[in-house]
Structure formats: structure tokens, C-alpha cells
Amino acid sequence: MNNHHDIIIAGGGAAGLYAAIFAGRRGRRVLVLDHAEKVGKKILISGGGRCNFTNLDAKPDRYLSANPHFAISALKRHTQHDFIALVDRHGIGWHEKKLGQLFCDDGAPRILGMLLDECADAGVAIRTECRIDDVVPVDGGGFRVVTSHGTFTSDSFILATGGPSIPKMGATDFAFRLARQWGLNVVEPRPALVPLTFAPVDLDKLKDLSGVPLEASVSCGKGKFREALLITHRGLSGPSILQISSYWREEQGVRIDLSPDLALAEHLKGLKKTRHKAELKTILGEILPRRFAERLFDVALIGPAPLANRPMADIKDADLMAVASALHAWTVHPDGTEGYRTAEVTLGGIDTAELSSKTMEARKIPGLFVVGEAVDVTGWLGGYNFQWAWSSGHAAGMAA
Ligand code: FDA
């Protein structure tokens, strides 16, 4: 057997398979190696099994990175519309769920099937259950890849093993270990798109409310998201919280506007005249989920309990304003996140300063390319991370 290939790709996830397709189409002999029993496992579980495969608004400002400009080139050269065109060519139905998020009508296996068909057409070889033990750049060019299936050699090597989020799915920090071994800088990785947890003292206040969904605008640092929020038995989750988790750092507060569409101070003052006999808790129960409104005062989120049972006419404007301010700026102090166990992605990764933004090739190690989640480029929730996998995979596949 000839163990030499033009390109070896470590990792048969979204980015690795996509890079393989474009390299194979260029006539390169490509071998994809993956330690899992099958490739594309995260694609299969993504988007609740329907794969949110891209976003109509995939723009560079939807990505976090130490260098926010890095993603521009790859995203521009292979856009969401290029990926949609491929999906259409394969006759795969899709729909926009919300906020530009595109999902498969018939489920994620259609997307993985499409990638595997394209790989087969492009003559890509794939080996699963193949553990990579070491990768050594060879003097004079090329790579020696030592695996549980023996040693392979290649001219180019594409590192596409993703990040450590959800180890149960076979995720590892292999890319970061290899990068450090080769002297490439790694921007400190941390779990992202992940639920936030509370300390026991705060959980005690909220635990009865577990399962209550709220519409909110959530902000922290430079991030602000207006989407659903869910109280859980560990803390907070839901799309707005997953989004803000990428911006949150230890010790920071997260600010939650529980009435993002209604200016509460004016609204409550107006109701003093029209609903003067109604109790404040009744009024709040019309604005917020009733179970949440009833508990607001007990759990001391917005001031003294006696206020709740008072008719609107008897409440001072200053007290109503205080209630309004508390609901517009409920500030919580998470004690952590649920970690890599449930994080959808890894923030940080191989420093973009080490890579060409056009080809994804490492500056210090010619022939080495890094793509997908292993790179310090992390998208918002909503199909942005797959688009980065497609765009960065395409960039490397066209250059390697
Ligand atoms: P990915 O993790 O997909 O692939 C890496 C591959 O490398 C895996 O096949 C792994 O087995 C292999 N590997 C790892 N270490 C190895 C080693 N040492 N040797 C050999 N092989 C190794 N994004 C999005 O845009 N829309 C969505 O709907 C979702 N939904 C979603 C749900 C859940 C539950 C998760 C966990 C994540 C998502 N994501 C998402 C994020 C998305 O899945 C993620 O950004 C991409 O899969 C990243 O693609 P990569 O190819 O870079 O890594």
C-alpha cells in the first residue's frame, strides 16, 4: 500500500471534510484520518438533529477572535451563498427558522451525506478509528504522521481536529497540544455557547422557577442579545445566555432586561390611573410569565414583598420606578459555566497571528494548515460556526 498522500487531513468533522472536497477536486490525493468510529458526529447532533448549517447574515462581526479581521478573507471567498448553492445542487430542502438561521428540512444526516458524496466524487480516502499519535514535520518538507494504523507521509497536513467541547463526542484538545509542541501560540481556550451556573446561595432563590422561559435582552461586556432565556436547576440557559457566555468572564455580572420591548416606568405609571385597583403582582403577571412574576418579590429580585399585594393607586411613583429599573436591569453573577461537557464550541484556539488569513497556512511551518474550530475564530450561535468550518476548510482545500 502506498502510504504517501499529497495531503493528510487530521479530523473528519465539518472543516476537515470540506477541505478534503476542494483539495480532492483539484486532483490532490487526500487522506482524512479520524479517531472516531464515524466522521461528522457533531454535524449529526447539531441544531437538535436538523443541522443549522449556515446563517444568511454570516458576516465577520458575528465572530470573536483576538484579531477580529482575520475571518474576513475566508468568509468572503466562500460565503453562505456558496454553501447554500451546494445544498441546493444536492436537492436538500431547507428553511429559515429565525434570525437568518438555516436548517435542513429532513435532518442533519442529509448534510453529512452530501459531504461524503462530494468526498467520494473527489476521490478522497477516509479512515476512521485511526488514532493519530504524532505528527512530525520532515526536514526538506512534508510530514510524517504516526497513527494506530501505521505511519503515513504527506506533502501537506491540514489540522482539523476541532476543540475540546463535548469530549463524549470524541472531541479533544489535540490541535492545541500539537500547536504548542510546534511552537505555535494558542489563545487560551475556554468553553463557549454554554449555560451559566449559579452559586448555591443564588440557586436557592431561583430553583423553584426552573423551566420558566423568559424573553429578555441580555448583555455583558461588548455582547448584547435579545432572545429567549431559560431558568434551569443549575443557573441560566437558552439562546441569549449561550450567546452571552462567549462574552462573559469570571467575576463579571450579566445584565438582563426582562422587559426589552416595553418602557416599564411609563407603562406602570400610566396603569396607576387606568387600573388603580389592580395589585402590582397582577400587573407584572401580565408582562412576565405569571410564575416568575409571583416569585419576584419572594426571591427579593425587585424589592420588598408587601409592595406586590398593594393596589397600583397606593404605590408611590418612586417605588414603581424602582421596580421598573430592577426589571430592566436584573443583574446576576454566575459562578461559572457548565464547561466543555455541554459547550457547543471552544472560544480561543490556535492564534490567527500564526496563520495566513487567505490560505490558513501556518507562517512558521510551510505545508501545515489549520481550519475550523481549532483556530481562534468563534461564531455566534445560529449556524455561524459551521459557516466558519466551510469557509476556512475551503480556503485550505484550495491552497494545500
Ligand atoms: P469537529 O469537532 O466537527 O471535528 C473534529 C473531528 O476531529 C472529529 O470528527 C473528531 O473525532 C476528530 N478528532 C479529534 N481529535 C482527534 C485526534 N486526536 N485524532 C483523530 N481525529 C480527531 N454549529 C453550527 O454552526 N450550527 C449548529 O447547529 C451547531 N450545533 C451544535 C450542536 C452541538 C451539540 C455542538 C457540540 C456543536 C454545535 N455546533 C453548531 C458547532 C459545530 O458543531 C462546530 O463548530 C463544528 O463542528 C466545528 O467543526 P470542526 O471540523 O472544526 O470540528
Side-chain angles (χ1 to χ4, degrees), residues 6 21-22 42 91 99 107 119 159 162 186 213-214 225 240 242 263 268 321 342 346-347 353 371 377 400:
D6 296 329
I21 292 166
F22 287 92
K42 276 193 187 166
L99 304 169
C119 278
L159 186 52
V186 176
L214 298 159
F225 296 91
S240 60
L242 298 186
L268 295 178
M321 285 175 70
T342 62
T346 304
L347 197 69
V371 295
V377 172

Side-chain angles (χ1 to χ4, degrees), residues 344-367:
E344 277 199 17
V345 289
T346 304
L347 197 69
I350 297 178
D351 194 338
T352 59
E354 303 282 9
L355 308 173
S356 151
S357 62
K358 209 168 154 200
T359 63
M360 311 303 295
E361 186 169 14
R363 298 180 191 287
K364 288 180 200 154
I365 307 176

Side-chain angles (χ1 to χ4, degrees), residues 4-9 19-31 119 122-125 154-158 367 369 396-400:
H4 185 81
H5 290 76
D6 296 329
I7 304 170
I8 288 177
I9 300 180
I21 292 166
F22 287 92
R25 282 188 196 169
R26 288 170 48 238
R28 312 282 277 147
R29 284 190 64 231
V30 182
L31 173 66
C119 278
V124 172
S154 63
D155 300 334
S156 302
F157 182 76
I158 301 181
F369 298 77
M398 294 303 286

Side-chain angles (χ1 to χ4, degrees), residues 9-17 33-43 45-55 102-103 130-133 159-166 169-175 177 193 340-346 371-375 379-390 392:
I9 300 180
L17 293 177
L33 302 176
D34 200 301
H35 68 167
E37 74 287 4
K38 60 181 178 204
V39 293
K41 282 168 80 174
K42 276 193 187 166
I43 297 173
I45 57 156
S46 67
R50 287 193 176 271
C51 186
N52 177 193
F53 57 82
T54 193
N55 194 296
L102 305 191
F103 286 76
C130 179
R131 197 188 60 245
I132 302 174
D133 292 324
L159 186 52
T161 52
S165 45
I166 322 241
M169 303 289 307
T172 67
D173 65 352
F174 179 75
R177 279 187 277 128
L193 300 183
Y340 288 120
R341 188 179 59 82
T342 62
E344 277 199 17
V345 289
T346 304
V371 295
E373 200 175 314
V375 181
W380 286 2
L381 184 76
Y384 296 101
N385 285 297
F386 277 139
Q387 187 55 47
W388 171 246
W390 317 137
S392 60

Side-chain angles (χ1 to χ4, degrees), residues 128-336:
T128 51
E129 296 185 269
C130 179
R131 197 188 60 245
I132 302 174
D133 292 324
D134 202 7
V135 184
V136 186
V138 177
D139 284 345
F143 298 84
R144 198 156 47 82
V145 182
V146 184
T147 79
S148 52
H149 292 197
T151 298
F152 300 87
T153 56
S154 63
D155 300 334
S156 302
F157 182 76
I158 301 181
L159 186 52
T161 52
S165 45
I166 322 241
K168 232 171 55 187
M169 303 289 307
T172 67
D173 65 352
F174 179 75
F176 306 153
R177 279 187 277 128
L178 201 60
R180 288 188 183 112
Q181 181 183 315
W182 287 347
L184 304 181
N185 187 42
V186 176
V187 175
E188 192 53 33
R190 54 182 285 133
L193 300 183
V194 62
L196 298 174
T197 56
F198 286 157
V201 56
D202 293 322
L203 267 188
D204 263 1
K205 289 187 199 166
L206 288 172
K207 65 173 187 255
D208 296 349
L209 292 170
S210 167
V212 173
L214 298 159
E215 269 303 316
S217 169
V218 178
S219 51
C220 182
K222 288 185 182 155
K224 185 171 183 180
F225 296 91
R226 162 85 173 77
E227 276 197 76
L229 173 156
L230 186 71
I231 298 174
T232 72
H233 58 287
R234 289 200 183 90
L236 294 176
S237 187
S240 60
I241 293 298
L242 298 186
Q243 296 278 32
I244 215 65
S245 70
S246 299
Y247 293 82
W248 178 79
R249 293 294 177 274
E250 284 66 17
E251 313 297 329
Q252 277 183 320
V254 173
R255 195 176 144 133
I256 300 171
D257 182 345
L258 291 163
S259 176
D261 300 325
L262 183 65
L264 275 180
E266 294 314 306
H267 181 72
L268 295 178
K269 276 198 275 176
L271 290 179
K272 250 178 106 163
K273 298 188 191 96
T274 55
R275 309 269 306 274
H276 53 280
K277 286 189 181 155
E279 289 176 357
L280 176 58
K281 70 167 190 274
T282 308
I283 298 290
L284 292 180
E286 292 163 10
I287 299 168
L288 299 162
R290 191 167 297 277
R291 212 169 120 211
F292 187 73
E294 278 167 4
R295 296 293 319 275
L296 274 174
F297 296 91
D298 304 347
V299 299
L301 293 182
I302 61 166
L307 216 55
N309 303 321
R310 262 197 241 151
M312 292 295 281
D314 292 356
I315 305 177
K316 285 191 249 154
D317 280 359
D319 286 337
L320 284 182
M321 285 175 70
V323 167
S325 306
L327 290 176
H328 279 307
W330 178 34
T331 301
V332 296
H333 287 89
D335 76 339

